[in-house]
Amino acid sequence: MQRFRALALVAAPLALAAAALPAALSAQAAPAGLAQVQAHLRAVETMTAGFAQTDRRGRTLSGTLTIKRPGRIRFDYGRSANMLIVGDGRALTFVDYEVGQRQRWPINDSPLSVLLNPSQDLSRFARVTRNDAQVLLLEARDPRRREFGTITLGFAKVANGPAGLILQGWNTRDAQNNLTTVRLSNQRFNVPVADSAFTYRNPARRGPRR
């Protein structure tokens, strides 16, 4: 069902892949790459993009992504599904208007925290698995909580991108080896984003969002 595909975005760890990245990744880590990703995260206060999210069965949902650091994120599925994922700086909330329910997680318990906290020390839980002239891949996992799985972020090397990088998407692979892939398009950085973008209507009753 659609809501379970969306839940994979916040409840399962992510492994990110850029648009034409090979399946096999180099095992060599590159500390300089970690520093570049950290610089990119700190340079981007806001970001908007389109996204296409594909689950292990090949089913795809699409919508718009909005980020405002630290801690705020919104996945709006538009007409493809009557639901939202919203991070307000403290927690991530999955809102299902179809069944009138919501679920919440602390942001730090979600793989999306890698994207939302620019001040964290990536070297504590992440490593660079590819770093060449075109692509930088960053794999992150919590060694103390392997049941959360893995997230790998994929960046394209672009000279005019923030710190020379543009986030292209990610995959999430959970402890059961289920893969969810998110690809981004039309990325825009440091554009005005109102705090009201990270609010939502309480799903107290069934029906479409307002």
Side-chain angles (χ1 to χ4, degrees), residues 29-202:
L34 280 176
Q36 187 174 9
V37 172
Q38 193 84 70
H40 170 84
L41 295 177
R42 290 173 176 168
V44 177
E45 294 183 2
T46 67
M47 186 182 85
T48 62
F51 73 87
Q53 173 193 330
T54 304
D55 68 11
R56 64 186 179 89
R57 296 183 179 179
R59 299 171 297 187
T60 299
L61 295 173
S62 60
T64 57
L65 167 67
T66 306
I67 292 175
K68 189 172 186 178
R69 296 187 176 97
R72 285 168 285 187
I73 192 168
R74 180 185 181 99
F75 289 89
D76 192 329
Y77 290 84
R79 295 183 178 180
S80 67
N82 195 18
M83 60 192 180
L84 293 169
I85 295 172
V86 180
D88 61 5
R90 299 178 300 277
L92 285 164
T93 303
F94 170 69
V95 188
D96 189 336
Y97 292 106
E98 189 67 27
V99 298
Q101 294 179 352
R102 67 177 181 173
Q103 298 182 46
R104 287 171 65 85
W105 295 265
I107 284 178
N108 288 338
D109 286 351
S110 164
L112 294 177
S113 65
V114 177
L115 292 174
L116 299 179
N117 182 0
S119 63
Q120 62 190 329
D121 180 3
L122 294 178
S123 66
R124 297 176 58 189
F125 56 86
R127 67 188 184 103
V128 172
T129 58
R130 176 176 169 183
N131 188 8
D132 57 32
Q134 289 80 39
V135 170
L136 194 158
L137 293 182
L138 182 74
E139 179 184 274
R141 70 175 67 194
D142 187 338
R144 300 166 303 174
R145 305 164 96 176
R146 293 186 179 275
E147 70 276 12
F148 283 4
T150 304
I151 176 174
T152 305
L153 307 177
F155 298 88
K157 296 269 188 87
V158 179
N160 62 356
L165 299 175
I166 291 182
L167 179 63
Q168 296 293 296
W170 59 88
N171 306 327
T172 68
R173 191 176 297 276
D174 65 19
Q176 287 71 48
N177 206 36
N178 295 315
L179 179 69
T180 300
T181 299
V182 175
R183 298 189 186 279
L184 304 182
S185 60
N186 302 317
Q187 297 92 323
R188 300 177 63 206
F189 303 101
N190 297 325
V191 295
V193 173
D195 290 346
S196 59
F198 308 99
T199 61
Y200 60 90
R201 178 179 60 79
N202 195 314

